[in-house]
Amino acid sequence: MEESNSRPEWKRIYRTFAEEVMAPHVRHFDQERAFPTPIHEKAAAEGILNAAFPEELGGAGLSYTDFTEGVSELSAVCPGMTWTLVFNRGALHPVVAAGTPEQKDLFVTQLLKRNGYGALGLTEPENGSNLLAATTRAVKTDSGWLLNGAKCMSGNGTVADVFIVLANTVVDSRKRGLSFFAVPRDAPGVTVSDDIEKAAFRCLPTPSVTFQDVALEPVNLIGRAGDGEALLNDLLATIRIGGAACGTGMVAAMLRDALTWAGERRVYPDDRLDTLSHVQLTLGRLYVELVAARKLVKEATGLADQGLPFGKESAMAKYAATELAVRASNEILQLYGWRGIAADYGVEKRWRDARALTIFEGSSEIQLLNVFREMRRMAMSEEGL
Ligand SMILES: Cc1cc2nc3c(=O)[nH]c(=O)nc-3n(C[C@H](O)[C@H](O)[C@H](O)COP(=O)(O)OP(=O)(O)OC[C@H]3O[C@@H](n4cnc5c(N)ncnc54)[C@H](O)[C@@H]3O)c2cc1C
């Protein structure tokens, strides 16, 4: 992504869109578990639907920093709706990062022109965190590749025109390895299930996708066959910054609303809730943790914008921000009493949505494993800790 000079401007655009366009419809799309098509139409009309793509591919060339701040602003209102709006950039990242000009035109530019969607197929029913063990297989044929396997939890999958699929390639009996394929949804042998019911991110459809003897051409292979691991690591580092930004955006919104609530609500014997020291300590502590998490996110996006490695930093940011979101949503819900679990107040929705953040895009445990490996390498090198 390119460095942009208009940072405050983009943040304002995303915030205005979130508050004016998204907010009035959040409850409806959550309750109906429906893809928010009218919100997407407005986002497309206002030029923010695919703004994070490079300009030459049809986006607005937002920097990582600008885009991440935008994701925070949108997530403050609804993380599920946010994901439907922004995840095209994550799903199509392998093509943006490693596609040929022909592939970028075919799978990104043409798709964006018709406001289409890409979806990511990493997770398999038997391999979630352990992506290296992918059992979806692509076997080399005379005319290209034959793909077989199954993916699940493919965000935006029900509306996607193309799936970016991680598969184990079998080039010959000796050479195997991970590879990415861009698989058109209408290719014979591709089957997309209905959406699944879930507690969080309800308006983001996450169906399963199966591939049965799907014949692919050489142009569908993204990057070199068997060399997909580095691209996978780059993809994971990129998308987890979004997860982190989602966490910080949600926590900021929870704190803002909790301050209003605690400033109005009177409790036994006859004090405002925010005069109780445990409430002040809770909210004060959560704010300190929010500022710390934001700094980690900023560090990761700053490195990414400079083209420097940001894998460890994005793992730390994702871990800190999403664990905080889970904790904050739980502690703040308690301050609302029964209203905390009543749908009218929106507090229970944030509590449900926050719960997904420490699972998707690499769970908290996987982020800590990433951090541990890098920490150990640093400790053993001259760099130190
Ligand atoms: C809202 C949402 C959207 C999603 N979107 C997509 C998408 O677009 N595309 C896609 O491919 N996937 C998507 N996913 C799936 C998501 O990426 C996986 O759920 C995630 O990677 C974890 O895999 P799993 O659920 O199979 O858990 P598992 O891998 O089965 O793990 C189960 C538990 O064991 C822990 N664990 C696993 N390995 C270790 C270890 N070595 N050490 C310690 N603990 C470990 C995990 O942290 C977890 O707590 C989405 C998920 C959600 C919730």
Side-chain angles (χ1 to χ4, degrees):
M1 290 185 208
E2 296 149 17
E3 196 71 58
S4 154
N5 296 322
S6 55
R7 183 170 305 166
E9 184 62 10
W10 276 108
K11 191 171 168 160
R12 192 187 55 72
I13 289 170
Y14 277 107
R15 177 175 293 182
T16 306
F17 184 83
E19 289 173 354
E20 294 181 1
V21 181
M22 287 167 59
H25 306 286
V26 165
R27 192 162 167 207
H28 166 78
F29 287 107
D30 181 60
Q31 282 185 336
E32 297 299 315
R33 302 168 189 268
F35 187 82
T37 304
I39 310 295
H40 279 244
E41 285 166 357
K42 287 220 162 118
E46 294 187 20
I48 66 166
L49 187 58
N50 290 305
F53 284 91
E55 278 176 291
E56 63 274 18
L57 301 186
L62 260 69
S63 65
Y64 278 92
T65 303
D66 286 347
F67 183 45
T68 303
E69 287 185 355
V71 170
S72 264
E73 294 296 333
L74 300 180
S75 300
V77 170
C78 178
M81 208 181 271
T82 301
W83 240 240
T84 68
L85 287 163
V86 304
F87 202 63
N88 243 3
R89 180 63 185 87
L92 296 171
H93 183 75
V95 187
V96 174
T100 61
E102 182 192 5
Q103 291 173 324
K104 287 180 184 174
D105 181 60
L106 196 59
F107 301 121
V108 180
T109 308
Q110 298 304 326
L111 189 86
L112 300 194
K113 270 189 189 152
R114 53 179 197 273
N115 290 329
Y117 298 94
L120 197 54
L122 301 180
T123 308
E124 299 181 347
E126 302 308 324
N127 295 298
S129 304
N130 188 7
L131 294 174
L132 302 184
T135 57
T136 296
R137 281 162 53 107
V139 178
K140 186 96 185 73
T141 63
D142 289 343
S143 58
W145 300 90
L146 200 63
L147 183 72
N148 278 286
K151 299 289 176 178
C152 57
M153 294 299 289
S154 190
N156 282 344
T158 57
V159 294
D161 300 316
V162 62
F163 291 92
I164 305 300
V165 176
L166 180 71
N168 247 306
T169 30
V170 185
V171 177
D172 59 42
S173 56
R174 283 159 297 135
K175 189 164 187 294
R176 284 161 186 262
L178 293 177
S179 307
F180 280 93
F181 290 89
V183 184
R185 185 211 188 92
D186 58 7
V190 176
T191 309
V192 183
S193 78
D194 289 337
D195 190 13
I196 60 158
E197 271 191 35
K198 54 191 182 297
F201 282 60
R202 284 178 169 172
C203 69
L204 173 74
T206 49
S208 298
V209 191
T210 52
F211 308 99
Q212 195 179 357
D213 291 333
V214 179
L216 298 171
E217 294 176 19
V219 74
N220 297 103
L221 171 70
I222 309 298
R224 288 224 315 264
D227 270 356
E229 201 172 324
L231 188 52
L232 175 64
N233 287 335
D234 176 43
L235 167 67
L236 294 173
T238 301
I239 61 176
R240 66 187 174 233
I241 300 186
C246 185
T248 55
M250 287 186 74
V251 174
M254 289 176 209
L255 282 173
R256 185 199 56 215
D257 290 354
L259 284 170
T260 306
W261 163 253
E264 290 167 355
R265 181 69 179 164
R266 299 196 82 80
V267 292
Y268 175 85
D270 188 23
D271 292 323
R272 274 186 6 223
L273 195 56
D274 67 1
T275 62
L276 304 184
S277 69
H278 94 273
V279 173
Q280 296 176 0
L281 300 184
T282 298
L283 297 182
R285 172 174 47 77
L286 291 174
Y287 181 67
V288 172
E289 293 181 70
L290 171 63
V291 171
R294 276 179 172 160
K295 285 189 190 298
L296 288 172
V297 175
K298 253 202 153 80
E299 189 184 359
T301 55
L303 290 169
D305 280 329
Q306 293 173 66
L308 296 170
F310 60 99
K312 179 190 67 173
E313 288 73 16
S314 69
M316 293 198 298
K318 166 65 171 52
Y319 173 77
T322 60
E323 287 289 331
L324 172 61
V326 172
R327 242 182 3 262
S329 68
N330 199 36
E331 292 184 58
I332 287 175
L333 186 151
Q334 186 72 12
L335 301 183
Y336 282 76
W338 66 265
R339 292 170 180 82
I341 54 166
D344 276 354
Y345 295 81
V347 179
E348 60 87 35
K349 178 178 178 298
R350 287 200 180 121
W351 176 63
R352 285 189 278 112
D353 283 337
R355 204 58 199 81
L357 303 190
T358 59
I359 297 170
F360 76 170
E361 299 186 335
S363 65
S364 285
E365 290 76 15
I366 298 305
Q367 303 312 330
L368 288 181
L369 291 178
N370 288 333
V371 172
F372 172 77
R373 278 189 217 106
E374 189 58 14
M375 178 184 77
R376 186 171 55 186
R377 184 197 64 72
M378 287 165 66
M380 289 173 168
S381 72
E382 284 189 0
E383 205 175 350
L385 290 183

